[in-house]
Amino acid sequence: MQKLDTLQSLSRRPALGMVIAFIPGIFLAELHPSWVVALLLFSFTALALLLALVASFSLRFSFLLKGIWSYGLLLFASFSAGYIANYYEWRNVERISPWGSGQIIGRIVDTPQHTERALRLPLEIVYADSLPQRSRWMLYLYAKERSNLTPPKEGDTIAVCITSPRLLHEVKLPSYRSWLRSKNCSGTLSTRDSLYTIKYRGKAGSLQEKAQDLRARYLQRIDSLPLSKEEKAFVAAIALGYKSRELNGINEAFRTLGTAHLLSVSGFHLAVVCGFVFLLLRGLHRYPSLRHLPSLAIIVVAWLFATLTGFSAPTVRAATMVTLYQVALLLALPRDAINLLAFTALFLLLLHPGYLFDIGFQLSFLSLLSILLFLPFFRVPKKGKWHPLLHYLYQAIALCFSAQFLTFPLVLYHFGRVPLLFLWSNIPLVFLASLIIPLSLFILLATPLLAYAPAVQQVAVSLLSGLLKGVSFSVNYLMPSSEVYEKTISMGELLGLYLLLFSLYFILCRVFPFSRQRPFEALKTIPRNRFSYLAKSRKQHLEIFKDREKSNL
């Protein structure tokens, strides 16, 4: 069981303590950025590390490397690193100055996304009226789509006339402002009309552009499948992470049912793909010379899947965590799940502190942490004593319910609404998605080979079509009975809810101390222990009474 009920459990997980100290440093740099504070923290950290180096050669100061001193030094260094890293990144986001309307030229640096009203283009400004020529800021442009032009892609250059931009500090919606900050975006732009010109790039240069071109080729294969537009959009979203205009209606239905995470390629999709590969190679563990092959194959498949999705941020985060876990498995290192999760978060935040303000990043790590902490409290019955269907239903409900403990307050804070049918809607849709993802990838990757076996291709496409009809039936069946709880909470209420939840967790850890692996079994072990104690006491009492009777005789 992954327990966090004592300070000793925190000291055994140094990465967890480091990320806990790193996050306040990021927030402090966001609220009060100052190069003076950054310089002071850097100086104090360097001095503390120098004292630790001296202590390693001197017995008089050796206490600095023991116990709470060394742990405190580690936390202080992590806090300073968080402040310095976010301050350096903040300078590139917030130093932009307002300017009026005019013409801009920008390069598209990420995949354009279709929203309900416009096409959202992430631009790196190359030229803008009234701005220094050396300035290169990141802005989001909302432009009307033009049917007579080829859709723009990453690496293209666009020239357009804009109205006055809306800078980051002028965005009033907190969730949207946090999302822009997570993208290192300094603000948003809007066009006066749909008149703009695009200069299409040539051959892909960067690795991400090559990944985008590879995904575009597989999207063409999806367009050639004998499916409806909505089914093609669903397959493109769930297998390759591409969201088109046809997905807007499906996305709203899945959001109402509490299953919108299925349409955003993330750790769940990567876990399905890697789990499928593990099932294919699980028999190799019997052979000593091939026991490392499954771990290596999972690492390769994880990054290949990240490439197919265009190196989307959630997939890269999940692939990084899978890689770290498999490397620990190959090197026979301790594999503490909570410490590994914290190390992954720390590694990603060091690379890009703005991830902390990404709602997807917050939900991903909090859901995993919630599962690791609360899932052991639900005793999973053995498969042999239950029907397989009941076993799956119980596991699915326990997994969904445990993941909601730490994500429920965050969803209320950001979105102000929580679907009440998420437990029942996740059971059929997650099961169907677990089958659609590997089948879709198999059809897309094996299309050249399936051309020589049309019968196999027809069977695979028919099976995929049947699964998609199952998804449509489940959504249409569940939508009439779906309800949404609407409640917006403040930051203070959010912190209060988390304080209450962690207090509940600590109480549960104290109440159920008998079972290390499955604390919920303590409900059975407590009365059995008491009855066994009473029975043993009664037996001893009877033996003593008989000995006294024999002595009296």
Side-chain angles (χ1 to χ4, degrees):
M1 176 188 175
Q2 306 291 337
K3 297 184 71 174
L4 290 174
D5 56 335
T6 61
L7 293 177
Q8 186 179 4
S9 63
L10 287 175
S11 63
R12 290 195 303 266
R13 299 178 174 93
L16 181 61
M18 292 174 67
V19 77
I20 290 176
F22 193 87
I23 291 175
I26 294 178
F27 277 116
L28 182 62
E30 195 72 20
L31 297 175
H32 303 286
S34 172
W35 67 270
V36 177
V37 177
L39 182 61
L40 288 176
L41 287 176
F42 178 79
S43 303
F44 285 132
T45 304
L47 179 62
L49 293 177
L50 181 61
L51 289 176
L53 182 62
V54 172
S56 62
F57 296 100
S58 175
L59 295 177
R60 180 177 298 179
F61 299 100
S62 60
F63 67 93
L64 293 175
L65 298 178
K66 297 179 181 179
I68 192 173
W69 293 98
S70 61
Y71 198 70
L73 175 61
L74 183 66
L75 296 183
F76 180 74
S78 302
F79 175 82
S80 302
Y83 185 94
I84 295 171
N86 194 37
Y87 174 73
Y88 176 77
E89 190 174 73
W90 173 88
R91 290 176 64 251
N92 298 327
V93 175
E94 289 287 346
R95 65 181 180 179
I96 188 172
S97 57
W99 80 95
S101 59
Q103 185 183 23
I104 67 164
I105 300 176
R107 187 176 66 88
I108 303 175
V109 295
D110 203 352
T111 306
Q113 297 178 345
H114 299 273
T115 62
E116 296 180 358
R117 297 182 179 180
L119 183 66
R120 185 168 60 199
L121 304 172
L123 296 182
E124 182 186 37
I125 305 301
V126 178
Y127 168 80
D129 295 338
S130 304
L131 282 181
Q133 293 296 323
R134 68 179 186 275
S135 303
R136 293 227 169 179
W137 290 295
M138 171 78 174
L139 294 165
Y140 267 96
L141 172 66
Y142 287 85
K144 296 181 180 180
E145 296 188 58
R146 296 179 59 181
S147 58
N148 59 339
L149 288 180
T150 304
K153 58 183 180 298
E154 182 181 356
D156 296 343
T157 303
I158 184 172
V160 63
C161 291
I162 62 166
T163 57
S164 298
R166 184 172 57 167
L167 301 183
L168 183 63
H169 62 271
E170 298 174 348
V171 178
K172 297 181 179 180
L173 189 62
S175 59
Y176 185 56
R177 185 170 59 249
S178 299
W179 181 80
L180 291 175
R181 176 63 184 86
S182 67
K183 301 294 184 181
N184 278 350
C185 184
S186 300
T188 61
L189 306 170
S190 58
T191 61
R192 295 174 178 174
D193 46 36
S194 59
L195 298 178
Y196 53 86
T197 58
I198 300 174
K199 181 182 178 182
Y200 299 98
R201 64 170 171 83
K203 187 178 180 180
S206 64
L207 184 61
Q208 188 166 2
E209 290 179 358
K210 293 179 180 179
Q212 296 288 347
D213 291 349
L214 180 63
R215 183 171 68 170
R217 288 198 293 270
Y218 285 110
L219 288 173
Q220 293 177 358
R221 295 184 181 182
I222 292 178
D223 292 335
S224 64
L225 295 177
L227 303 172
S228 63
K229 291 183 178 180
E230 290 76 12
E231 291 174 343
K232 292 177 182 179
F234 182 81
V235 172
I238 202 172
L240 300 178
Y242 180 78
K243 295 183 178 181
S244 59
R245 294 186 301 270
E246 291 77 9
L247 196 68
N248 292 334
I250 304 175
N251 195 15
E252 184 61 30
F254 273 68
R255 191 181 295 116
T256 304
L257 294 175
T259 55
H261 59 92
L262 297 178
L263 299 178
S264 300
V265 174
S266 58
F268 165 75
H269 303 73
L270 186 63
V272 170
V273 175
C274 293
F276 184 75
V277 174
F278 177 76
L279 289 177
L280 293 178
L281 303 178
R282 61 185 301 182
L284 298 180
H285 289 285
R286 303 174 184 176
Y287 307 98
S289 59
L290 300 176
R291 66 180 184 273
H292 298 313
L293 186 60
S295 297
L296 295 174
I298 288 175
I299 294 174
V300 173
V301 168
W303 287 105
L304 286 178
F305 182 71
T307 305
L308 288 177
T309 60
F311 289 112
S312 63
T315 315
V316 171
R317 292 195 297 262
T320 302
M321 186 173 180
V322 169
T323 302
L324 293 175
Y325 182 83
Q326 295 301 326
V327 168
L329 185 64
L330 291 172
L331 300 179
L333 299 176
R335 298 180 301 277
D336 185 89
I338 294 180
N339 195 57
L340 180 62
L341 181 67
F343 181 78
T344 306
L346 182 64
F347 177 75
L348 294 172
L349 290 175
L350 276 172
L351 295 179
H352 176 34
Y355 275 143
L356 184 62
F357 307 99
D358 187 2
I359 301 174
F361 180 88
Q362 298 170 9
L363 291 175
S364 298
F365 280 92
L366 279 180
S367 61
L368 285 175
L369 181 62
S370 183
I371 290 173
L372 292 175
L373 293 181
F374 291 96
L375 183 60
F377 289 101
F378 299 91
R379 179 179 175 269
V380 180
K382 293 183 179 180
K383 192 174 181 179
K385 297 182 180 180
W386 289 73
H387 191 275
L389 180 59
L390 294 178
H391 180 73
Y392 168 76
L393 291 176
Y394 186 88
Q395 283 187 324
I397 293 174
L399 184 66
C400 295
F401 193 71
S402 60
Q404 297 298 320
F405 275 98
L406 297 183
T407 58
F408 178 78
L410 194 65
V411 171
L412 282 181
Y413 174 74
H414 284 298
F415 305 108
R417 48 181 292 176
V418 174
L420 300 180
L421 206 65
F422 67 91
L423 279 178
W424 309 112
S425 58
N426 272 276
I427 294 173
L429 293 177
V430 167
F431 174 74
L432 292 172
S434 302
L435 299 177
I436 292 174
I437 293 171
L439 182 59
S440 302
L441 292 175
F442 169 74
I443 294 174
L444 295 178
L445 295 174
T447 298
L449 299 177
L450 292 177
Y452 298 98
V456 178
Q457 184 178 15
Q458 185 177 1
V459 171
V461 174
S462 300
L463 182 58
L464 178 61
S465 178
L467 292 174
L468 293 173
K469 286 181 172 56
V471 172
S472 178
F473 173 78
S474 301
V475 171
N476 294 331
Y477 179 77
L478 293 170
M479 276 296 292
S481 57
S482 62
E483 294 184 7
V484 177
Y485 173 73
E486 296 184 357
K487 171 69 176 177
T488 303
I489 61 176
S490 61
M491 176 61 72
E493 292 172 331
L494 176 67
L495 297 177
L497 283 175
Y498 277 123
L499 180 62
L500 180 63
L501 287 173
F502 280 107
S503 300
L504 174 64
Y505 173 76
F506 294 144
I507 293 173
L508 290 177
C509 289
R510 298 300 182 184
V511 170
F512 303 137
F514 296 97
S515 177
R516 294 295 181 185
Q517 299 297 328
R518 293 173 181 173
F520 200 71
E521 292 182 351
L523 290 178
K524 293 185 177 180
T525 58
I526 291 177
R528 185 169 65 246
N529 290 343
R530 290 180 178 176
F531 290 148
S532 62
Y533 172 77
L534 293 176
K536 185 177 180 180
S537 301
R538 184 173 180 273
K539 184 177 180 180
Q540 291 177 350
H541 180 72
L542 290 176
E543 290 178 354
I544 294 173
F545 182 74
K546 289 180 181 179
D547 291 340
R548 288 180 179 178
E549 286 185 346
K550 289 180 180 179
S551 60
N552 292 333
L553 294 175

